[in-house]
Structure formats: C-alpha cells, structure tokens
Amino acid sequence: MNDKQRVALHAANLIEDGMVVGLGTGSTANYFIDELASRHADGLTITTVASSIVSANRAQQMGLTVIAMEQLSNIDVYVDGADEVSPNMALLKGRGSDLVREKLLANASDQFLVLIDSSKCVDRIGQNFPIPIEVAPFSWKMVLHSVVDMGGKGALRPNGDGLAVTSHGSLVLDMAFDAALTSQQLNEQLNAVPGIVEHGIFEQLATAILIGENDQVTILKTG
Ligand code: 5RP
C-alpha cells in the first residue's frame, strides 16, 4: 500500500452512517472512492456528490449513490487531494480541470479532509506549481493583463496542439508570482479580478490534512 492509499483508507474509516460525502478528483481521491465503496459494500449507508464527471462515473461504477450538486445546500464531509499544502493549511489545487466544483464542495462542507503524501508539503503556496486561474474564454487577455499587473508571469495552459478547457468551458492561465506574496494576499487579490471564474488557492477551507509518510498517517488540524 502506498502513502496515498494509506491516507485514503484512513479517511474512509472516518466516514459515518448517514453522511453526505463529497468526492474529490485525482489519484488520491480515486483511492478514497474505492475504499468508501468497499465500506459501502460492507453496509455503510452514505450518499455522495462528485466534484467531476470522472469521479461520479467511478463512484457509480463501484456501487455508490451519487446525487447532483444542484440538490444540496451543504454536505457533511468533502474529501480530496491537493497539489501543495502550506504550514498554515492553505492549499493549491487544480492540476485537474474542475476547480469550481471542488471549491464549492470544500466551502459547503462541515469537514474538508485533504489527503496528501508528504511530497505535497511546501513552505509557501506556489513553490512547486504555478497558480491555476480559470477564466471565461472571452476574458483571458483582460484577466492576464490584470494578473500581470499583480506581478504574475504565465500563459494559457496548453493541451496537446490546443488549449486546456475545463469542464465548464473555461480556459486556464497558469501563473507564477513573486515568493513575497502570501497565499492570503494572492487569494484576496485574485478574488477581486473580474473575469476570473475560480482559482486554485484554497485559503482557510481545509479542516484537516491527512499526510501519508513512511507507512504512517499524520493529521494536521485547524485550531
Ligand atoms: C485536481 C486536484 C487534485 O486533488 C490534485 O491535483 C492532487 O492530485 P493527486 O491526488 O492525483 O496527486 O486538485 O484539481
């Protein structure tokens, strides 16, 4: 069992009967879906809501009940991976293409459990990856101009010979910023730019980070 599988198993064992569970997207979230489905097969009663079509398909194939986000105003727990986690539990997400649903579920959950291996722990958000910024296609040049004014450097995310397109039909700018800008500052500044649909900084949303390292699971919590 690798570290991602180990944290996924640990998180699945935290889920209780009757919960509405949000399913993230990515390899770690996939391990969680598999472990949750296994508990469901053993009698755990749960309802799930997915952050992407890929996760919804996987969950349904494994026998889980998946309901539409439109039917929910809040959920008990959301479980997802991350690309980076800082010491104050800010996250960078969005190497996939479902940022909008991911942040909605993170915000609507009583508990947001983030599953990572120790390679995702960083000193600052943006250390290893650029910040993904989803933009409405017609707004990308104006958003790029605003974000360059903030000190950002980057371009539209490519995909093969074309451009990456999210499940909402947005384009993605991958932008690097000066190390002096904190995730709080970046979050506030990006939230204020018109034309940005969503961005990959998840500030003060995680309630616990489950870190897998050397066959152990360490849990970081808020407060
Ligand atoms: C997708 C995400 C993923 O959670 C993140 O990319 C981590 O992926 P993985 O679990 O495959 O390492 O944010 O948008």
Side-chain angles (χ1 to χ4, degrees), residues 4 25-29 80-83 93-97 102 120:
K4 287 182 175 183
T25 301
S27 59
T28 320
D80 200 355
D83 300 306
K93 288 183 54 54
R95 299 316 302 162
S97 54
E102 288 183 359
K120 307 288 185 71

Side-chain angles (χ1 to χ4, degrees), residues 99-100 132-147 156-157 163-173 190 193-199:
L99 264 179
V100 176
I133 301 174
E134 265 196 57
V135 292
F138 50 81
S139 71
W140 78 268
K141 276 204 171 192
M142 290 185 184
V143 172
L144 180 62
H145 188 265
S146 302
V147 175
L156 286 170
R157 185 184 291 179
L163 293 171
V165 179
T166 74
S167 39
H168 297 276
S170 305
L171 301 176
V172 182
L173 290 165
L190 292 173
V193 176
I196 291 184
V197 177
E198 196 46 271
H199 60 81

Side-chain angles (χ1 to χ4, degrees), residues 10 13 42 56 78 80 100-101 110 127 137 210 217:
H10 193 103
N13 285 331
D42 290 342
Y78 177 50
D80 200 355
V100 176
R101 282 175 182 267
D110 292 341
Q127 187 172 306
L210 280 65
V217 175

